[in-house]
Amino acid sequence: MKNIELNDVRKQDYFYSEAIKTLRANIQLSGKSVKTILVTSCYPNEGKSDIVISLAKELGSIGKKVLLVDADIRKSSYISHFHVEREVHGLSEFLSGQIEVKDLIYDTNYPNMNIIFGGPVAPDPSGLLGDDLFRTFLREIRSYYDYILIDTPPVGTIIDAAVIARYSDGAVFVIEQGSVSYKVAQRALRQLEKSGCRILGAVLNKTDTEKNRYYKKYGDYYQKLSTAEQQSQD
């Protein structure tokens, strides 16, 4: 396994950090069988990647072995997010047979956290992600990690997340407050549910903390898990 230095320059305040810790605790309470977790949203730019990165780092900081998988092989942002200047390989290259597993997973400077980058844009992302190779890979590495967090493209616009959901133990849904209608969110959730994936819950993101005192207490990134599951039953 190769080593790589990641540089996350975001500044996290107290409330943000506490919200991520609460999300981590709720993930842990989902059960021991929940290890491979998909994180998605309805639309781009809802803050999904920021949340999954912070969650991976938080889980690693308490001694959990974590693999963060960037499965957005259409438009990966992890190279720029972490200010990676060296050449790295990624998931699209592995799934297309260009590299082996030994060249895919990177050990990072964050405790207990490994990462898989998205790689170059693939001509048929859904086809690669739906191939048996990806399913087999996730099954085989499962025993090496406490959690595998998969950052996917938005389920509201692309089918990739629904494809990956078939291989996941659960899904966390990120929703930006004020940008996603109830009907759109419900439609996206139903698409995930059709895959047979368990909906663990939702994270309400980018809340207006000045107008909402409840969310001011918990910061910008938090909503108790199971909210989405409750709504889907309404």
Side-chain angles (χ1 to χ4, degrees):
M1 186 183 298
K2 299 179 180 179
N3 296 316
I4 192 164
E5 186 83 11
L6 302 181
N7 183 21
D8 189 354
V9 299
R10 294 174 302 153
K11 293 182 179 180
Q12 298 182 3
D13 61 22
Y14 171 80
F15 295 110
Y16 177 93
S17 298
E18 288 302 301
I20 292 298
K21 289 178 181 178
T22 304
L23 177 60
R24 179 261 296 167
N26 282 314
I27 289 289
Q28 290 181 276
L29 291 172
S30 296
K32 290 184 177 181
S33 62
V34 179
K35 298 183 66 173
T36 303
I37 302 171
L38 172 153
V39 183
T40 192
S41 60
C42 281
Y43 301 124
N45 304 315
E46 292 191 70
K48 165 180 56 63
S49 293
D50 285 345
I51 291 174
V52 72
I53 289 169
S54 296
L55 178 59
K57 290 165 61 179
E58 173 62 25
L59 285 165
S61 71
I62 62 168
K64 300 299 181 182
K65 186 67 174 177
V66 182
L67 176 63
L68 174 56
V69 181
D70 177 13
D72 190 347
I73 57 179
R74 297 174 186 267
K75 189 181 178 181
S76 175
S77 61
Y78 275 54
I79 299 295
S80 59
H81 180 101
F82 285 119
H83 301 275
V84 177
E85 297 181 355
R86 56 176 280 195
E87 181 181 0
V88 295
H89 296 294
L91 185 61
S92 61
E93 294 170 286
F94 171 70
L95 296 179
S96 60
Q98 299 178 58
I99 62 171
E100 299 178 5
V101 173
K102 64 181 180 65
D103 300 314
L104 177 64
I105 304 175
Y106 292 83
D107 192 16
T108 75
N109 49 303
Y110 295 113
N112 304 303
M113 177 178 150
N114 295 158
I115 190 170
I116 293 177
F117 294 99
V121 177
D124 182 20
S126 297
L128 288 178
L129 294 169
D131 191 88
D132 284 340
L133 177 60
F134 192 35
R135 182 199 302 267
T136 302
F137 169 71
L138 290 175
R139 184 172 61 245
E140 290 182 350
I141 64 170
R142 181 184 177 90
S143 61
Y144 294 96
Y145 294 95
D146 294 304
Y147 292 100
I148 300 171
L149 304 181
I150 307 177
D151 188 348
T152 76
V155 69
T157 55
I158 300 171
I159 196 174
D160 296 9
V163 172
I164 298 172
R166 294 180 295 175
Y167 318 144
S168 304
D169 301 319
V172 173
F173 199 56
V174 176
I175 303 173
E176 180 181 352
Q177 185 183 45
S179 298
V180 180
S181 70
Y182 179 81
K183 289 185 178 179
V184 170
Q186 287 296 302
R187 186 165 57 247
L189 283 171
R190 284 194 294 270
Q191 187 173 352
L192 286 177
E193 288 171 340
K194 287 179 181 178
S195 69
C197 182
R198 173 186 171 189
I199 307 299
L200 300 177
V203 175
L204 185 62
N205 195 15
K206 300 183 182 180
T207 60
D208 190 337
T209 56
E210 295 302 320
K211 293 182 179 180
N212 193 324
R213 293 183 179 180
Y214 176 82
Y215 290 109
K216 185 176 182 62
K217 177 181 178 183
Y218 291 101
D220 293 342
Y221 295 70
Y222 170 66
Q223 185 173 23
K224 186 177 180 181
L225 284 172
S226 81
T227 298
E229 189 172 28
Q230 292 173 359
Q231 289 181 348
S232 66
Q233 296 173 356
D234 292 342

